[in-house]
Amino acid sequence: MIAEPNAASNLPSQKENAVHDETVPESAVQNGSCVRNGNLKTSVVCLPCERRRRASVLAVCSSEITAATEKCLVGSTQLFRSYFPVMPSYAYDLLLKKKKFKLREKRKVREQRENVRRNSSSSRRVSRLQNGEVVEAVTLFEVVSMGKQAMQSVVDDWVEAYKQDRNVALLDLINFFIQCSGCQGMVTAEMFQSLQKNDVMQKMTENFDEETGLQYKKFVAYPWILTVTWPVDMDNEDYPLIRTGPYWKKFKANFCEFIAVLVQQCQCSILYDSYLMDTIISLLTGLADSMVRAFRHTSTLAAMKLLTAVVSVHLNLDVNKHNAQRLYEVEKRRISGKRTNYRLDQLERKRKEYEHKLLEIQNMMNAIFKGTFLNRYRDVIPEIRATCIEEIGSWIKTYPDAFLNDSYLKYIGWMLYDKQAEVRLKCLLGLQGIYSRKELVSRMDLFTSRFKDRIVSMPLDKDHEVAVQAMKLLMLMSQNCEDVLSAEDCETLYQFVYTTHRPLAVAAGEFLYKRLLSHEGDEEIQPKRGGKFGASTDQLKRLIRFFLESELHKHVAYLIDSLWDWAGKFLKDWECMTALLLKNAEEDGEELSDAHESVLIEIILATVREAAEGHPPVGRGAAKKILSVKEKKIQLEDCMKITEHFIMVLPQLLAKYSTDAQKVANLLQIPQYYDLDVYSTGHLEKHLDALLREVKDIVTKHSDISVLEASSRTYYVLCNEEIAISSQVDCARTQLIDELMGQLNQLLDGFWQKEEGFCTDAGEISRMHSALRRVAAFHNAHNLTKWNLYDKTLRLLVFEMEHGSLPVLMILPALQCTYFSLLWQLAAISENPPKETLFALGRELRRFCQICMRFLHHKEKDAFMILCDWLLILSHQDSNNNEEAVGLLDYLPSTPLQEKLLLFIQEHVFMEEEEESKDLTEDEERQDESCKLDDLHKKRSLLAAYCKLIVYNVVEMTAAAEIYKHYVKTYNDFGDIIKETLSRTRHNNKIQSAKTLILCLQQLFQRHAESQDSSSGMDFSSASFTNMKELARRFSLTFGWDQVKSRESVAMIHKEGIEFAFQGATGVDGKCLPPNLSFLLIISEFSNKLLKPDKRLVYAYLQRYIAEPLPCRGDEWQPLIWYRNSLLANEDEESSVLGGSGEWSPMGTSKMSSFKRKLSNGSLPDTSQTEAASKAPALQRASQLASATGKSRKRLKSRETHLQEHLPFLCPGGLRRRCCKDEIKTEDVSEEGQAEDVIEDVDVDVVGADQVIPARVFEL
């Protein structure tokens, strides 16, 4: 803040309203004068100190003030200063010692000073309640931040004050900008006129005073040179503009509004006095050059908003000038001869006045742009860069005549390459405002040609919002710029309709719809043979053609979802779609091809699903969105429209395409979106009979699993007991299943009647396969227990186990039928079933598990999936909450079965297949790639099924160690599955999950050690060791940022790792090199996940395995040293890890407190690194003593009691060190010595540090 030198400013900080009775430091007083009754005694004025009713009045003798003032007036320099009471005490004391006298005040003098300010600011006071008390806002900063009054009235009050005394009001405004920067320091000002030019240039500095610990910045705010002084420890990351919360968000809006209203209210008067704007611009330019982020950010924002407001003034002046010029010409033509006219002279003066004002405004614009924008648009702070780019986009859009040229556009183009997404986003938003206006696009040719490629590539941006806005910008460019996008560019952009990020896909859908599908006049198109569906037919054909050309044939649902918001009208035209499918060649010579019909049926199914469900397809969107009342109403209307139309049309479509499995499978999914009550309410039972006849015919014709499952699902939906047609459908279903079972029984009877018990005829095997698949598909959704299917299929499986001669085509559907039969038996268990029934069922369940285990060798891998699902169901079934039934039916896999499951995964998922180099054609390569994708999908399904067994504790968690080994190597294919497994197991049991991770690393380490030559030692640069470290690093990253949450897990990893590293250490006094010592390098990757107190605990545990003194001269001991360094990271004793003699002196628990660089009552002299290393023990003892004396005894006592209860292994008296097999007792020390040091070490500023690790982690 700024105030006169002899008036003590007593202002509370922004964070609290406490009153501080402090005086201005004498070191800040050099020259000064005072203002009496608002009249200046010299040519220099000062700002009266700010008043607050809540501030106490300081008394100072007026004679002392007068004497001090006269003494300060020896020079012609006038100083103004203000002091913020939050200045650090040590800096304040140093400032007081630099001068020999102190300024004091009395109430009378202070009240006399306040008279000047009270008159001008009384009307601007705003009140608010804070802690039950009324707090009045006096300063501009307080008024703006509160926002209780209209901004225009606040500015009007300030303008009136400026007209009465411009210096006082202007200094008030300067003070406002300083406060908005969050500055809590001191500001002095001296007159620019009193200094020579060279002196001025010397004072334009920003430096740090080591003697006082204060930061200084001097800059010109014409007609003053301001010096801002603030504490060096000023929180540079916390100032009003970046503070969170609704209050500070509103403050930023009020701050920007204040600047805009200020310029608006001054444009007719004081804006052109060559004093106001010069001061503000020089102030903001000076602050914008500061190294302090708060000053740069605040002043840059103010300068940019100031220029925006000035641009608006320039536009108004330009309009007024043209109006005056036009009136002048009209008046000049009206008069005749050489007569003079007063009106003409008046208009001429007005026109020249506007020209003069325009010239001044242009000078202001140039000064702000060159002084602030050119320096700050490349600032290191992204918020500042974003502010600059946002405002220049506003200038170009508002005043294109001055700013819409390449000299300004280039800055936006350059910042499109910025590393921060926020800046790139502002560039795109600014360009959208320009490209949305056709009259401006013609002047963008050079910019478009230069930066078009960059904009076209930005939908691939890693930031989703940037990608979305880039697509919207390209949409505007495509609409308003002719031929700016090539066909290749458009083809690239079209493919974004398939992306998983829905906002980007919707933006791409708009681009596709408006660029390709929808043309002007489509609604008026009425082809001669198109009928009423002419426009929709053309759009559908273009959509089908686009889908076929994109070659992404399995993503129709994503395409429809992308177009839904823009093309919903013709996508819901199911009447047109079905008419195209049912159209004959005689009716229209242009009949759809088979591929076009398949795509159209897929589009029909996707649109029906989108309309009925109302949410995006799987993979696009985290969860189902909550529909509004309007959306629900539209959804119900669409469902009714779907039902009424397809009830009559679907049987016809099924009859036409009954032989095409793919088309029928899609069409059979439509009935599940019906409103089934329409059948009974609309008396449409005849259409239901037609549908059931077609479905039955399709089931008997096809053996494709997708068709059979869709048919089974259709019967399941129609058999809902809550609807009236369920009995009719149930009869049709029973009749169909009787026929299917009759066919199967006939085939089985013929099979068992064979002498060899086995059929070799391929046709008979195919018929048996089809019959089993039909029954299995229906048994999945319908209970077929009364047909006794279980005994028939079980006999087949037993025969295969005994003879091993059945083909796979018969085994797999038989296995599925048996599986479904057992599931229906489990589901049918009553609340109190007989024990005989439970024993018999349990015996069958175990028998089926043995059967599945025998079939794991089949290439189809379906037996593995069935077995995994079966084990998961058995381990988590509740049998209607019957505990006795659960106990009898519960089944967990045996150890041999778990081993076989794991071996299956290793062989079929992680086994690398050798790729043969073949010269393939383009079609063959495409087919080969498709086969690889299908194979990868199957592998992912197998791995996911097995990982579910681990997550739900069906198999032992340690089995996951074999899975985790492949985490890095197969990250692209299976990384998400393995990572989710790791997360779920950690949620179930943190300790066991940590042991599994360390077990994985131990097994890899042992494998690596066995492959190494024992004579040459461990090779740390080998690929296998590097892969181990990378795997450990990836494991460490899975713990996230919450160190408290993962505290126990990480501690267990270190404990198990240390024990493994020193396993097998032998020799005299344990000084022989442990064989697994290099493993410490692996677990050092987890050290950064330890809290500071936990690092000390782990270090203390490490000390138990180390004999002392321990020679560390050889490289073989380097892993131990590196691991120790990782535990002592960020600790000051880290410098003494390797002493000059090469000996390692282990630090006991009592010497683990960190060395304090800054003591409370002094500091240590600077020493070299060698001296610091040699004096480390002494310095440690000194730091322990200093820190111990500075602690509160009561706090130490409570902390010590807490540790003794929860961490008994930390208690100094009971601490033991284990070195190999020998135990060495540590020296007993007093509680006031060593115990306090240990407690002090644990007491660090870490969130949740009081949540100690359970003692079981480091149990002795």
Side-chain angles (χ1 to χ4, degrees), residues 195-218:
L195 299 174
Q196 298 296 327
K197 183 177 180 180
N198 294 335
D199 296 334
V200 172
M201 297 307 296
Q202 291 176 1
K203 287 181 175 290
M204 302 302 104
T205 59
E206 181 172 345
N207 54 13
F208 169 66
D209 191 341
E210 296 181 357
E211 199 174 319
T212 61
L214 298 177
Q215 190 85 9
Y216 292 90
K217 176 174 179 58
K218 296 184 179 182

Side-chain angles (χ1 to χ4, degrees), residues 998-1234:
I998 201 67
L999 175 63
C1000 171
L1001 296 174
Q1002 289 172 0
Q1003 292 176 354
L1004 289 175
F1005 182 85
Q1006 289 176 340
R1007 185 188 304 173
H1008 171 75
E1010 292 172 358
S1011 64
Q1012 296 292 312
D1013 187 4
S1014 58
S1015 60
S1016 60
M1018 188 69 67
D1019 184 11
F1020 300 150
S1021 61
S1022 62
S1024 59
F1025 193 86
T1026 304
N1027 292 337
M1028 274 191 295
K1029 280 186 66 68
E1030 175 63 18
L1031 180 61
R1033 189 185 70 85
R1034 294 287 189 94
F1035 286 161
S1036 175
L1037 292 176
T1038 61
F1039 287 103
W1041 294 100
D1042 192 350
Q1043 292 177 309
V1044 176
K1045 185 178 180 181
S1046 59
R1047 199 172 185 187
E1048 295 183 8
S1049 302
V1050 178
M1052 178 55 68
I1053 288 176
H1054 282 274
K1055 176 182 179 295
E1056 295 288 331
I1058 292 172
E1059 292 176 355
F1060 177 76
F1062 289 94
Q1063 185 179 0
T1066 59
V1068 181
D1069 297 331
K1071 293 187 178 181
C1072 182
L1073 182 71
N1076 300 332
L1077 187 67
S1078 301
F1079 190 72
L1080 294 177
L1081 288 177
I1082 305 299
I1083 63 173
S1084 65
E1085 296 290 340
F1086 297 91
S1087 297
N1088 62 340
K1089 295 299 180 181
L1090 286 169
L1091 295 174
K1092 288 183 180 180
D1094 298 346
K1095 288 185 178 181
R1096 303 175 194 275
L1097 297 178
V1098 175
Y1099 177 76
Y1101 191 74
L1102 176 67
Q1103 291 291 83
R1104 305 176 187 180
Y1105 293 87
I1106 301 173
E1108 46 182 305
L1110 181 67
C1112 297
R1113 298 180 185 275
D1115 293 340
E1116 63 274 7
W1117 290 98
Q1118 287 299 319
L1120 178 59
I1121 298 174
W1122 289 337
Y1123 180 60
R1124 182 179 181 272
N1125 286 348
S1126 69
L1127 295 178
L1128 298 178
N1130 301 324
E1131 301 291 340
D1132 293 328
E1133 61 264 31
E1134 186 180 25
S1135 60
S1136 61
V1137 169
L1138 286 177
S1141 61
E1143 296 289 337
W1144 179 20
S1145 299
M1147 298 171 58
T1149 311
S1150 62
K1151 298 181 179 181
M1152 285 164 48
S1153 62
S1154 62
F1155 177 62
K1156 312 296 182 182
R1157 289 188 177 88
K1158 294 182 179 180
L1159 302 179
S1160 57
N1161 296 323
S1163 59
L1164 293 172
D1166 297 335
T1167 58
S1168 63
Q1169 295 182 356
T1170 306
E1171 293 173 347
S1174 62
K1175 295 180 180 180
L1179 296 180
Q1180 291 162 6
R1181 289 192 295 270
S1183 64
Q1184 292 170 7
L1185 179 60
S1187 58
T1189 56
K1191 294 286 184 178
S1192 170
R1193 294 293 180 182
K1194 183 177 180 180
R1195 183 166 175 267
L1196 289 174
K1197 187 82 172 180
S1198 61
R1199 186 61 103 171
E1200 179 181 351
T1201 305
H1202 180 74
L1203 285 175
Q1204 288 177 353
E1205 292 176 356
H1206 298 276
L1207 296 175
F1209 52 88
L1210 271 183
C1211 297
L1215 183 61
R1216 301 291 183 270
R1217 289 184 184 172
R1218 187 179 67 187
C1219 178
C1220 300
K1221 297 181 180 180
D1222 299 327
E1223 293 186 358
I1224 304 176
K1225 294 183 177 181
T1226 57
E1227 297 180 0
D1228 295 334
V1229 293
S1230 63
E1231 293 182 359
E1232 295 182 358
Q1234 185 177 3

Side-chain angles (χ1 to χ4, degrees), residues 452-513:
K452 186 204 72 172
D453 293 339
R454 170 58 181 163
I455 298 174
V456 171
S457 68
M458 291 186 76
L460 292 170
D461 197 283
K462 62 181 181 181
D463 186 84
H464 291 317
E465 186 61 25
V466 173
V468 172
Q469 297 304 326
M471 184 62 70
K472 292 181 178 180
L473 174 60
L474 290 167
M475 180 69 250
L476 294 173
M477 294 174 64
S478 174
Q479 288 179 332
N480 298 328
C481 301
E482 295 182 1
D483 301 329
V484 66
L485 297 177
S486 62
E488 293 78 9
D489 296 333
C490 293
E491 290 296 329
T492 302
L493 297 174
Y494 292 156
Q495 302 305 316
F496 283 98
V497 295
Y498 299 107
T499 185
T500 56
H501 183 60
R502 192 172 191 276
L504 177 58
V506 171
E510 179 188 8
F511 183 83
L512 172 64
Y513 176 71

Side-chain angles (χ1 to χ4, degrees), residues 299 464 819 1236:
S299 59
H464 291 317
Y819 169 61
E1236 292 182 358

Side-chain angles (χ1 to χ4, degrees), residues 260-328:
V261 175
L262 177 64
V263 175
Q264 180 183 0
Q265 296 300 105
C266 298
Q267 63 178 334
C268 298
S269 55
I270 60 177
L271 191 66
Y272 312 100
D273 63 354
S274 300
Y275 190 80
L276 172 64
M277 292 301 292
D278 289 350
T279 304
I280 296 177
I281 292 174
S282 58
L283 168 71
L284 298 179
T285 303
L287 288 176
D289 289 334
S290 174
M291 293 184 294
V292 180
R293 171 181 176 175
F295 289 150
R296 291 204 318 277
H297 191 183
T298 307
S299 59
T300 302
L301 176 62
M304 296 299 100
K305 292 297 181 180
L306 183 66
L307 181 51
T308 302
V310 170
V311 168
S312 300
V313 174
H314 191 284
L315 283 175
N316 295 333
L317 288 175
D318 196 40
V319 172
N320 293 335
K321 174 191 170 184
H322 283 85
N323 292 337
Q325 179 69 27
R326 189 165 56 253
L327 290 174
Y328 176 80

